Amino acid sequence: EVKLVESGGGMVQPGGSLRLSCAAYGFTVSNSDMSWVRQAPGKGPEWVSGIEAAGGRTYYADSVKGRFTISRDNAKNTLYLQMNSLKPEDTALYYCARPWVPTSGLSRVPKDYYWGQGTQVTVSS
């Protein structure tokens, strides 16, 4: 059974940092494209970042480029999202995501992914 378990969320002041983790079960993270998706209150889901299975190339939404870093630890079968210079507009539920089916190229469409249960990130002074 495929399962994604996120952790690491919390409340932080603007300019602060958090590192989100996603433990994967039932499949191998390094063999799958993986992404992070977020959803702010009252808004639709937004694709944030992704990492390709082959080669580990990374991609970022313009809104987080230069501040967030996606990575994976193959030995721990875990995906990470390091978030620096956090802003109030980064406040959202953050979901680890795996494609429902393999796609040609990493998808930036949230509905193309199976999401975990999410972890809350709140950026506020």
Short mmCIF file of all heavy atoms in Angstrom, two decimals, residues 18-90:
data_model
loop_
_atom_site.label_atom_id
_atom_site.label_comp_id
_atom_site.label_asym_id
_atom_site.label_seq_id
_atom_site.Cartn_x
_atom_site.Cartn_y
_atom_site.Cartn_z
N LEU A 18 11.91 26.29 7.91
CA LEU A 18 11.38 25.00 8.32
C LEU A 18 11.85 23.96 7.34
O LEU A 18 12.09 24.27 6.16
CB LEU A 18 9.85 25.01 8.33
CG LEU A 18 9.12 25.71 9.47
CD1 LEU A 18 7.61 25.73 9.19
CD2 LEU A 18 9.38 25.03 10.80
N ARG A 19 11.96 22.72 7.80
CA ARG A 19 12.24 21.62 6.89
C ARG A 19 11.12 20.59 7.02
O ARG A 19 10.90 20.03 8.10
CB ARG A 19 13.59 20.95 7.17
CG ARG A 19 13.92 19.92 6.08
CD ARG A 19 15.29 19.30 6.26
NE ARG A 19 15.27 18.22 7.24
CZ ARG A 19 16.15 17.21 7.25
NH1 ARG A 19 17.08 17.13 6.30
NH2 ARG A 19 16.10 16.28 8.17
N LEU A 20 10.44 20.37 5.92
CA LEU A 20 9.39 19.36 5.88
C LEU A 20 9.99 18.02 5.45
O LEU A 20 10.89 17.96 4.62
CB LEU A 20 8.29 19.75 4.91
CG LEU A 20 7.67 21.13 5.10
CD1 LEU A 20 6.53 21.33 4.10
CD2 LEU A 20 7.19 21.33 6.51
N SER A 21 9.46 16.95 6.03
CA SER A 21 9.86 15.60 5.66
C SER A 21 8.66 14.82 5.19
O SER A 21 7.53 15.07 5.63
CB SER A 21 10.49 14.88 6.86
OG SER A 21 11.63 15.54 7.33
N CYS A 22 8.90 13.85 4.32
CA CYS A 22 7.85 12.98 3.83
C CYS A 22 8.40 11.56 3.78
O CYS A 22 9.23 11.24 2.92
CB CYS A 22 7.38 13.43 2.45
SG CYS A 22 6.28 12.25 1.63
N ALA A 23 7.93 10.74 4.70
CA ALA A 23 8.32 9.33 4.70
C ALA A 23 7.41 8.57 3.75
O ALA A 23 6.18 8.68 3.85
CB ALA A 23 8.22 8.76 6.10
N ALA A 24 8.01 7.81 2.85
CA ALA A 24 7.25 7.08 1.84
C ALA A 24 7.22 5.59 2.16
O ALA A 24 8.24 5.02 2.57
CB ALA A 24 7.85 7.30 0.46
N TYR A 25 6.06 4.99 1.94
CA TYR A 25 5.88 3.57 2.19
C TYR A 25 5.22 2.92 0.98
O TYR A 25 4.38 3.51 0.33
CB TYR A 25 4.99 3.35 3.43
CG TYR A 25 5.54 3.98 4.67
CD1 TYR A 25 5.17 5.28 5.02
CD2 TYR A 25 6.45 3.31 5.48
CE1 TYR A 25 5.69 5.88 6.17
CE2 TYR A 25 6.97 3.89 6.62
CZ TYR A 25 6.59 5.18 6.95
OH TYR A 25 7.11 5.76 8.08
N GLY A 26 5.63 1.70 0.68
CA GLY A 26 5.01 0.95 -0.40
C GLY A 26 5.61 1.18 -1.77
O GLY A 26 5.17 0.57 -2.75
N PHE A 27 6.60 2.04 -1.86
CA PHE A 27 7.29 2.28 -3.11
C PHE A 27 8.63 2.95 -2.79
O PHE A 27 8.88 3.36 -1.66
CB PHE A 27 6.45 3.17 -4.05
CG PHE A 27 6.38 4.60 -3.65
CD1 PHE A 27 7.16 5.57 -4.27
CD2 PHE A 27 5.52 5.01 -2.62
CE1 PHE A 27 7.09 6.91 -3.88
CE2 PHE A 27 5.44 6.34 -2.23
CZ PHE A 27 6.23 7.29 -2.87
N THR A 28 9.47 3.07 -3.82
CA THR A 28 10.80 3.64 -3.64
C THR A 28 10.82 5.07 -4.18
O THR A 28 10.57 5.29 -5.37
CB THR A 28 11.85 2.79 -4.36
OG1 THR A 28 11.80 1.45 -3.82
CG2 THR A 28 13.24 3.35 -4.16
N VAL A 29 11.11 6.01 -3.31
CA VAL A 29 11.07 7.43 -3.68
C VAL A 29 11.98 7.72 -4.86
O VAL A 29 11.61 8.50 -5.76
CB VAL A 29 11.46 8.30 -2.46
CG1 VAL A 29 11.82 9.70 -2.89
CG2 VAL A 29 10.34 8.34 -1.44
N SER A 30 13.14 7.11 -4.90
CA SER A 30 14.10 7.42 -5.96
C SER A 30 13.65 6.89 -7.33
O SER A 30 14.19 7.31 -8.36
CB SER A 30 15.48 6.84 -5.63
OG SER A 30 15.40 5.44 -5.49
N ASN A 31 12.66 6.02 -7.35
CA ASN A 31 12.14 5.48 -8.61
C ASN A 31 10.92 6.23 -9.11
O ASN A 31 10.31 5.80 -10.11
CB ASN A 31 11.79 3.99 -8.44
CG ASN A 31 13.01 3.12 -8.28
OD1 ASN A 31 14.12 3.52 -8.60
ND2 ASN A 31 12.82 1.92 -7.75
N SER A 32 10.53 7.29 -8.44
CA SER A 32 9.32 8.03 -8.80
C SER A 32 9.59 9.52 -8.82
O SER A 32 10.29 10.04 -7.96
CB SER A 32 8.22 7.72 -7.80
OG SER A 32 7.05 8.46 -8.07
N ASP A 33 9.03 10.22 -9.81
CA ASP A 33 8.96 11.67 -9.70
C ASP A 33 8.18 11.99 -8.43
O ASP A 33 7.18 11.32 -8.12
CB ASP A 33 8.24 12.28 -10.90
CG ASP A 33 9.02 12.16 -12.19
OD1 ASP A 33 10.21 11.79 -12.14
OD2 ASP A 33 8.44 12.47 -13.25
N MET A 34 8.62 13.00 -7.71
CA MET A 34 7.93 13.40 -6.49
C MET A 34 7.79 14.91 -6.46
O MET A 34 8.65 15.63 -7.00
CB MET A 34 8.72 12.93 -5.25
CG MET A 34 8.85 11.44 -5.09
SD MET A 34 7.30 10.61 -4.72
CE MET A 34 6.89 11.32 -3.12
N SER A 35 6.74 15.37 -5.80
CA SER A 35 6.52 16.81 -5.70
C SER A 35 5.98 17.19 -4.33
O SER A 35 5.55 16.33 -3.56
CB SER A 35 5.52 17.28 -6.77
OG SER A 35 6.10 17.37 -8.05
N TRP A 36 6.01 18.48 -4.09
CA TRP A 36 5.32 19.09 -2.97
C TRP A 36 4.23 20.00 -3.54
O TRP A 36 4.47 20.76 -4.49
CB TRP A 36 6.27 19.91 -2.10
CG TRP A 36 7.20 19.08 -1.29
CD1 TRP A 36 8.48 18.71 -1.61
CD2 TRP A 36 6.95 18.52 0.01
NE1 TRP A 36 9.02 17.94 -0.62
CE2 TRP A 36 8.11 17.81 0.40
CE3 TRP A 36 5.87 18.55 0.88
CZ2 TRP A 36 8.21 17.15 1.62
CZ3 TRP A 36 5.96 17.88 2.09
CH2 TRP A 36 7.12 17.20 2.45
N VAL A 37 3.06 19.92 -2.94
CA VAL A 37 1.91 20.73 -3.33
C VAL A 37 1.41 21.43 -2.06
O VAL A 37 1.50 20.85 -0.97
CB VAL A 37 0.80 19.83 -3.92
CG1 VAL A 37 -0.49 20.61 -4.14
CG2 VAL A 37 1.28 19.18 -5.22
N ARG A 38 0.92 22.64 -2.18
CA ARG A 38 0.39 23.33 -1.01
C ARG A 38 -0.99 23.89 -1.32
O ARG A 38 -1.33 24.12 -2.48
CB ARG A 38 1.32 24.43 -0.54
CG ARG A 38 1.44 25.61 -1.47
CD ARG A 38 2.49 26.60 -0.94
NE ARG A 38 2.64 27.77 -1.81
CZ ARG A 38 3.55 28.71 -1.64
NH1 ARG A 38 4.42 28.63 -0.61
NH2 ARG A 38 3.62 29.73 -2.46
N GLN A 39 -1.75 24.08 -0.25
CA GLN A 39 -3.07 24.68 -0.41
C GLN A 39 -3.31 25.64 0.75
O GLN A 39 -3.35 25.23 1.91
CB GLN A 39 -4.17 23.62 -0.47
CG GLN A 39 -5.53 24.19 -0.80
CD GLN A 39 -6.51 23.15 -1.31
OE1 GLN A 39 -6.32 21.95 -1.12
NE2 GLN A 39 -7.57 23.59 -1.96
N ALA A 40 -3.48 26.90 0.39
CA ALA A 40 -3.76 27.93 1.39
C ALA A 40 -5.27 27.99 1.63
O ALA A 40 -6.06 27.60 0.77
CB ALA A 40 -3.24 29.27 0.89
N PRO A 41 -5.67 28.51 2.79
CA PRO A 41 -7.10 28.60 3.09
C PRO A 41 -7.86 29.38 2.02
O PRO A 41 -7.45 30.47 1.62
CB PRO A 41 -7.12 29.35 4.42
CG PRO A 41 -5.79 29.09 5.03
CD PRO A 41 -4.83 29.00 3.89
N GLY A 42 -8.92 28.79 1.51
CA GLY A 42 -9.76 29.46 0.54
C GLY A 42 -9.20 29.51 -0.87
O GLY A 42 -9.78 30.16 -1.75
N LYS A 43 -8.09 28.83 -1.09
CA LYS A 43 -7.47 28.84 -2.42
C LYS A 43 -7.32 27.43 -2.95
O LYS A 43 -7.40 26.45 -2.20
CB LYS A 43 -6.09 29.51 -2.35
CG LYS A 43 -6.14 30.98 -1.98
CD LYS A 43 -4.76 31.62 -2.09
CE LYS A 43 -4.80 33.11 -1.80
NZ LYS A 43 -3.45 33.74 -1.93
N GLY A 44 -7.11 27.34 -4.25
CA GLY A 44 -6.88 26.05 -4.87
C GLY A 44 -5.48 25.55 -4.60
O GLY A 44 -4.61 26.29 -4.15
N PRO A 45 -5.23 24.26 -4.87
CA PRO A 45 -3.89 23.72 -4.66
C PRO A 45 -2.88 24.33 -5.61
O PRO A 45 -3.20 24.67 -6.76
CB PRO A 45 -4.07 22.22 -4.92
CG PRO A 45 -5.28 22.12 -5.76
CD PRO A 45 -6.16 23.24 -5.37
N GLU A 46 -1.66 24.45 -5.14
CA GLU A 46 -0.56 25.02 -5.92
C GLU A 46 0.63 24.07 -5.90
O GLU A 46 1.09 23.67 -4.82
CB GLU A 46 -0.14 26.38 -5.33
CG GLU A 46 1.06 27.01 -6.01
CD GLU A 46 1.61 28.23 -5.26
OE1 GLU A 46 1.25 28.42 -4.08
OE2 GLU A 46 2.40 28.98 -5.85
N TRP A 47 1.11 23.71 -7.07
CA TRP A 47 2.33 22.92 -7.15
C TRP A 47 3.50 23.80 -6.72
O TRP A 47 3.61 24.95 -7.16
CB TRP A 47 2.53 22.42 -8.57
CG TRP A 47 3.82 21.68 -8.78
CD1 TRP A 47 4.05 20.35 -8.59
CD2 TRP A 47 5.06 22.24 -9.22
NE1 TRP A 47 5.35 20.05 -8.88
CE2 TRP A 47 6.00 21.20 -9.28
CE3 TRP A 47 5.48 23.52 -9.58
CZ2 TRP A 47 7.32 21.39 -9.67
CZ3 TRP A 47 6.78 23.72 -9.97
CH2 TRP A 47 7.70 22.65 -10.01
N VAL A 48 4.38 23.27 -5.87
CA VAL A 48 5.47 24.06 -5.28
C VAL A 48 6.84 23.65 -5.85
O VAL A 48 7.63 24.51 -6.24
CB VAL A 48 5.48 23.88 -3.75
CG1 VAL A 48 6.69 24.55 -3.13
CG2 VAL A 48 4.19 24.43 -3.14
N SER A 49 7.10 22.36 -5.86
CA SER A 49 8.44 21.90 -6.25
C SER A 49 8.37 20.43 -6.61
O SER A 49 7.49 19.70 -6.13
CB SER A 49 9.41 22.11 -5.09
OG SER A 49 10.71 21.65 -5.43
N GLY A 50 9.31 19.99 -7.45
CA GLY A 50 9.35 18.58 -7.82
C GLY A 50 10.77 18.12 -8.09
O GLY A 50 11.67 18.93 -8.36
N ILE A 51 10.96 16.81 -8.00
CA ILE A 51 12.25 16.20 -8.28
C ILE A 51 12.04 14.98 -9.15
O ILE A 51 11.17 14.15 -8.88
CB ILE A 51 13.00 15.85 -6.96
CG1 ILE A 51 14.39 15.28 -7.25
CG2 ILE A 51 12.18 14.91 -6.09
CD1 ILE A 51 15.27 15.20 -5.99
N GLU A 52 12.80 14.90 -10.22
CA GLU A 52 12.65 13.80 -11.15
C GLU A 52 13.29 12.54 -10.59
O GLU A 52 14.31 12.58 -9.90
CB GLU A 52 13.31 14.14 -12.49
CG GLU A 52 12.53 15.14 -13.31
CD GLU A 52 13.18 15.42 -14.66
OE1 GLU A 52 14.38 15.14 -14.80
OE2 GLU A 52 12.48 15.92 -15.55
N ALA A 53 12.69 11.40 -10.95
CA ALA A 53 13.24 10.13 -10.52
C ALA A 53 14.63 9.91 -11.12
O ALA A 53 15.59 9.63 -10.42
CB ALA A 53 12.30 8.99 -10.93
N ALA A 54 14.70 10.05 -12.44
CA ALA A 54 15.96 9.81 -13.13
C ALA A 54 16.81 11.07 -13.10
O ALA A 54 16.41 12.10 -13.62
CB ALA A 54 15.69 9.40 -14.57
N GLY A 55 17.93 10.99 -12.47
CA GLY A 55 18.85 12.12 -12.47
C GLY A 55 18.63 13.12 -11.34
O GLY A 55 19.51 13.90 -11.02
N GLY A 56 17.43 13.11 -10.75
CA GLY A 56 17.18 13.99 -9.61
C GLY A 56 17.10 15.47 -9.94
O GLY A 56 17.31 16.32 -9.07
N ARG A 57 16.79 15.79 -11.20
CA ARG A 57 16.66 17.22 -11.55
C ARG A 57 15.50 17.81 -10.76
O ARG A 57 14.45 17.19 -10.60
CB ARG A 57 16.43 17.38 -13.04
CG ARG A 57 16.41 18.82 -13.50
CD ARG A 57 16.34 18.93 -15.01
NE ARG A 57 16.31 20.32 -15.44
CZ ARG A 57 16.29 20.71 -16.73
NH1 ARG A 57 16.28 19.81 -17.69
NH2 ARG A 57 16.27 21.98 -17.02
N THR A 58 15.69 19.06 -10.30
CA THR A 58 14.68 19.70 -9.45
C THR A 58 14.03 20.88 -10.16
O THR A 58 14.63 21.51 -11.05
CB THR A 58 15.30 20.16 -8.13
OG1 THR A 58 16.38 21.06 -8.41
CG2 THR A 58 15.83 18.98 -7.33
N TYR A 59 12.80 21.16 -9.76
CA TYR A 59 12.00 22.23 -10.36
C TYR A 59 11.27 22.98 -9.24
O TYR A 59 10.90 22.39 -8.22
CB TYR A 59 10.97 21.65 -11.32
CG TYR A 59 11.57 20.83 -12.45
CD1 TYR A 59 11.86 19.49 -12.27
CD2 TYR A 59 11.86 21.42 -13.68
CE1 TYR A 59 12.42 18.73 -13.30
CE2 TYR A 59 12.41 20.68 -14.71
CZ TYR A 59 12.69 19.33 -14.51
OH TYR A 59 13.24 18.59 -15.53
N TYR A 60 11.02 24.29 -9.47
CA TYR A 60 10.38 25.11 -8.46
C TYR A 60 9.39 26.05 -9.10
O TYR A 60 9.60 26.56 -10.20
CB TYR A 60 11.44 25.92 -7.69
CG TYR A 60 12.44 25.05 -6.98
CD1 TYR A 60 13.64 24.70 -7.59
CD2 TYR A 60 12.18 24.56 -5.71
CE1 TYR A 60 14.55 23.88 -6.95
CE2 TYR A 60 13.08 23.74 -5.06
CZ TYR A 60 14.26 23.40 -5.69
OH TYR A 60 15.17 22.59 -5.04
N ALA A 61 8.31 26.32 -8.37
CA ALA A 61 7.41 27.39 -8.76
C ALA A 61 8.14 28.71 -8.60
O ALA A 61 9.00 28.86 -7.72
CB ALA A 61 6.16 27.35 -7.89
N ASP A 62 7.78 29.68 -9.41
CA ASP A 62 8.44 30.99 -9.33
C ASP A 62 8.29 31.60 -7.95
O ASP A 62 9.18 32.31 -7.48
CB ASP A 62 7.85 31.93 -10.38
CG ASP A 62 8.29 31.57 -11.79
OD1 ASP A 62 9.26 30.81 -11.95
OD2 ASP A 62 7.65 32.06 -12.74
N SER A 63 7.19 31.31 -7.29
CA SER A 63 6.91 31.92 -5.99
C SER A 63 7.87 31.45 -4.89
O SER A 63 7.97 32.10 -3.84
CB SER A 63 5.47 31.62 -5.57
OG SER A 63 5.23 30.22 -5.54
N VAL A 64 8.56 30.33 -5.10
CA VAL A 64 9.44 29.81 -4.06
C VAL A 64 10.89 29.65 -4.54
O VAL A 64 11.77 29.29 -3.75
CB VAL A 64 8.94 28.44 -3.52
CG1 VAL A 64 7.48 28.54 -3.08
CG2 VAL A 64 9.11 27.33 -4.55
N LYS A 65 11.13 29.92 -5.80
CA LYS A 65 12.47 29.73 -6.35
C LYS A 65 13.48 30.57 -5.60
O LYS A 65 13.26 31.74 -5.32
CB LYS A 65 12.46 30.10 -7.84
CG LYS A 65 13.62 29.55 -8.64
CD LYS A 65 13.41 29.81 -10.12
CE LYS A 65 12.23 29.03 -10.68
NZ LYS A 65 12.04 29.24 -12.13
N GLY A 66 14.60 29.95 -5.24
CA GLY A 66 15.64 30.65 -4.50
C GLY A 66 15.46 30.60 -3.00
O GLY A 66 16.37 30.96 -2.24
N ARG A 67 14.29 30.15 -2.54
CA ARG A 67 14.03 30.08 -1.09
C ARG A 67 13.81 28.65 -0.63
O ARG A 67 14.15 28.31 0.51
CB ARG A 67 12.80 30.89 -0.74
CG ARG A 67 12.91 32.37 -1.09
CD ARG A 67 11.72 33.18 -0.56
NE ARG A 67 10.44 32.76 -1.15
CZ ARG A 67 9.41 32.31 -0.44
NH1 ARG A 67 9.49 32.21 0.88
NH2 ARG A 67 8.28 31.96 -1.05
N PHE A 68 13.24 27.82 -1.47
CA PHE A 68 12.95 26.43 -1.10
C PHE A 68 13.89 25.49 -1.84
O PHE A 68 14.30 25.77 -2.98
CB PHE A 68 11.51 26.06 -1.49
CG PHE A 68 10.43 26.72 -0.67
CD1 PHE A 68 10.70 27.77 0.20
CD2 PHE A 68 9.12 26.29 -0.78
CE1 PHE A 68 9.71 28.37 0.95
CE2 PHE A 68 8.10 26.87 -0.05
CZ PHE A 68 8.40 27.92 0.81
N THR A 69 14.19 24.36 -1.20
CA THR A 69 15.03 23.33 -1.82
C THR A 69 14.41 21.96 -1.57
O THR A 69 14.17 21.59 -0.42
CB THR A 69 16.45 23.36 -1.24
OG1 THR A 69 17.03 24.65 -1.44
CG2 THR A 69 17.33 22.31 -1.95
N ILE A 70 14.17 21.25 -2.65
CA ILE A 70 13.64 19.88 -2.55
C ILE A 70 14.81 18.90 -2.63
O ILE A 70 15.78 19.12 -3.36
CB ILE A 70 12.61 19.60 -3.66
CG1 ILE A 70 11.90 18.26 -3.41
CG2 ILE A 70 13.24 19.64 -5.03
CD1 ILE A 70 10.71 18.03 -4.37
N SER A 71 14.71 17.83 -1.87
CA SER A 71 15.76 16.81 -1.90
C SER A 71 15.18 15.48 -1.43
O SER A 71 14.03 15.43 -0.97
CB SER A 71 16.94 17.21 -1.01
OG SER A 71 16.55 17.29 0.34
N ARG A 72 15.97 14.44 -1.55
CA ARG A 72 15.52 13.13 -1.08
C ARG A 72 16.71 12.38 -0.51
O ARG A 72 17.85 12.60 -0.91
CB ARG A 72 14.87 12.33 -2.22
CG ARG A 72 15.82 11.96 -3.35
CD ARG A 72 15.08 11.36 -4.53
NE ARG A 72 16.02 11.03 -5.58
CZ ARG A 72 15.71 10.99 -6.87
NH1 ARG A 72 14.48 11.29 -7.27
NH2 ARG A 72 16.62 10.67 -7.77
N ASP A 73 16.39 11.50 0.45
CA ASP A 73 17.40 10.62 1.04
C ASP A 73 16.98 9.21 0.65
O ASP A 73 16.01 8.67 1.20
CB ASP A 73 17.42 10.80 2.56
CG ASP A 73 18.51 9.98 3.23
OD1 ASP A 73 18.81 8.86 2.76
OD2 ASP A 73 19.04 10.45 4.25
N ASN A 74 17.70 8.64 -0.29
CA ASN A 74 17.31 7.32 -0.80
C ASN A 74 17.40 6.25 0.28
O ASN A 74 16.56 5.34 0.32
CB ASN A 74 18.17 6.94 -2.00
CG ASN A 74 17.96 7.88 -3.18
OD1 ASN A 74 16.95 8.58 -3.25
ND2 ASN A 74 18.92 7.90 -4.08
N ALA A 75 18.37 6.36 1.15
CA ALA A 75 18.54 5.34 2.21
C ALA A 75 17.36 5.35 3.18
O ALA A 75 16.96 4.31 3.68
CB ALA A 75 19.85 5.57 2.95
N LYS A 76 16.81 6.54 3.40
CA LYS A 76 15.68 6.66 4.32
C LYS A 76 14.34 6.64 3.60
O LYS A 76 13.29 6.70 4.23
CB LYS A 76 15.80 7.96 5.12
CG LYS A 76 17.00 7.99 6.05
CD LYS A 76 17.04 9.27 6.87
CE LYS A 76 18.22 9.27 7.83
NZ LYS A 76 18.29 10.51 8.64
N ASN A 77 14.40 6.60 2.26
CA ASN A 77 13.18 6.63 1.45
C ASN A 77 12.29 7.81 1.84
O ASN A 77 11.08 7.68 2.05
CB ASN A 77 12.39 5.32 1.56
CG ASN A 77 11.57 5.01 0.32
OD1 ASN A 77 11.99 5.30 -0.80
ND2 ASN A 77 10.42 4.42 0.51
N THR A 78 12.91 8.96 1.94
CA THR A 78 12.26 10.16 2.46
C THR A 78 12.52 11.35 1.54
O THR A 78 13.63 11.51 1.02
CB THR A 78 12.75 10.47 3.88
OG1 THR A 78 12.41 9.38 4.73
CG2 THR A 78 12.13 11.74 4.42
N LEU A 79 11.47 12.15 1.36
CA LEU A 79 11.55 13.39 0.58
C LEU A 79 11.56 14.56 1.54
O LEU A 79 10.91 14.50 2.60
CB LEU A 79 10.31 13.48 -0.33
CG LEU A 79 10.22 14.65 -1.29
CD1 LEU A 79 11.21 14.49 -2.44
CD2 LEU A 79 8.80 14.78 -1.83
N TYR A 80 12.28 15.63 1.18
CA TYR A 80 12.36 16.80 2.05
C TYR A 80 12.02 18.07 1.27
O TYR A 80 12.14 18.12 0.04
CB TYR A 80 13.79 16.95 2.61
CG TYR A 80 14.24 15.78 3.44
CD1 TYR A 80 15.08 14.81 2.89
CD2 TYR A 80 13.85 15.65 4.77
CE1 TYR A 80 15.51 13.72 3.65
CE2 TYR A 80 14.27 14.58 5.53
CZ TYR A 80 15.09 13.62 4.98
OH TYR A 80 15.51 12.56 5.72
N LEU A 81 11.63 19.09 2.03
CA LEU A 81 11.50 20.43 1.48
C LEU A 81 12.07 21.40 2.51
O LEU A 81 11.48 21.60 3.56
CB LEU A 81 10.04 20.78 1.16
CG LEU A 81 9.86 22.11 0.45
CD1 LEU A 81 10.43 22.06 -0.97
CD2 LEU A 81 8.37 22.51 0.40
N GLN A 82 13.24 21.94 2.20
CA GLN A 82 13.84 22.97 3.05
C GLN A 82 13.29 24.32 2.63
O GLN A 82 13.39 24.70 1.45
CB GLN A 82 15.37 22.96 2.90
CG GLN A 82 16.07 24.04 3.69
CD GLN A 82 15.96 23.84 5.19
OE1 GLN A 82 16.10 22.72 5.68
NE2 GLN A 82 15.71 24.92 5.92
N MET A 83 12.69 25.02 3.57
CA MET A 83 12.05 26.30 3.28
C MET A 83 12.73 27.39 4.08
O MET A 83 12.72 27.36 5.32
CB MET A 83 10.56 26.23 3.63
CG MET A 83 9.83 25.06 2.96
SD MET A 83 8.06 25.10 3.26
CE MET A 83 8.01 24.87 5.02
N ASN A 84 13.35 28.33 3.37
CA ASN A 84 14.03 29.45 3.99
C ASN A 84 13.33 30.76 3.62
O ASN A 84 12.53 30.80 2.67
CB ASN A 84 15.48 29.49 3.55
CG ASN A 84 16.26 28.25 3.96
OD1 ASN A 84 15.98 27.63 4.99
ND2 ASN A 84 17.24 27.89 3.14
N SER A 85 13.65 31.80 4.34
CA SER A 85 13.10 33.13 4.08
C SER A 85 11.58 33.07 3.92
O SER A 85 11.02 33.62 2.96
CB SER A 85 13.75 33.73 2.82
OG SER A 85 15.14 33.80 2.96
N LEU A 86 10.95 32.43 4.84
CA LEU A 86 9.51 32.22 4.74
C LEU A 86 8.74 33.52 4.83
O LEU A 86 9.13 34.45 5.56
CB LEU A 86 9.03 31.24 5.81
CG LEU A 86 9.34 29.77 5.49
CD1 LEU A 86 9.29 28.92 6.74
CD2 LEU A 86 8.38 29.25 4.44
N LYS A 87 7.64 33.58 4.07
CA LYS A 87 6.78 34.75 4.01
C LYS A 87 5.37 34.38 4.47
O LYS A 87 4.98 33.22 4.38
CB LYS A 87 6.72 35.27 2.57
CG LYS A 87 8.05 35.55 1.93
CD LYS A 87 7.88 35.94 0.46
CE LYS A 87 9.21 36.21 -0.19
NZ LYS A 87 9.04 36.59 -1.63
N PRO A 88 4.59 35.36 4.91
CA PRO A 88 3.21 35.04 5.31
C PRO A 88 2.42 34.35 4.21
O PRO A 88 1.59 33.48 4.49
CB PRO A 88 2.63 36.42 5.65
CG PRO A 88 3.81 37.21 6.09
CD PRO A 88 4.96 36.74 5.23
N GLU A 89 2.70 34.69 2.96
CA GLU A 89 1.98 34.06 1.84
C GLU A 89 2.38 32.60 1.61
O GLU A 89 1.77 31.91 0.79
CB GLU A 89 2.15 34.86 0.55
CG GLU A 89 3.59 35.17 0.19
CD GLU A 89 4.02 36.56 0.63
OE1 GLU A 89 3.69 36.95 1.79
OE2 GLU A 89 4.70 37.24 -0.16
N ASP A 90 3.37 32.11 2.34
CA ASP A 90 3.71 30.68 2.28
C ASP A 90 2.83 29.85 3.21
O ASP A 90 2.90 28.62 3.20
CB ASP A 90 5.18 30.45 2.66
CG ASP A 90 6.14 31.06 1.67
OD1 ASP A 90 5.91 30.92 0.45
OD2 ASP A 90 7.14 31.66 2.11
#
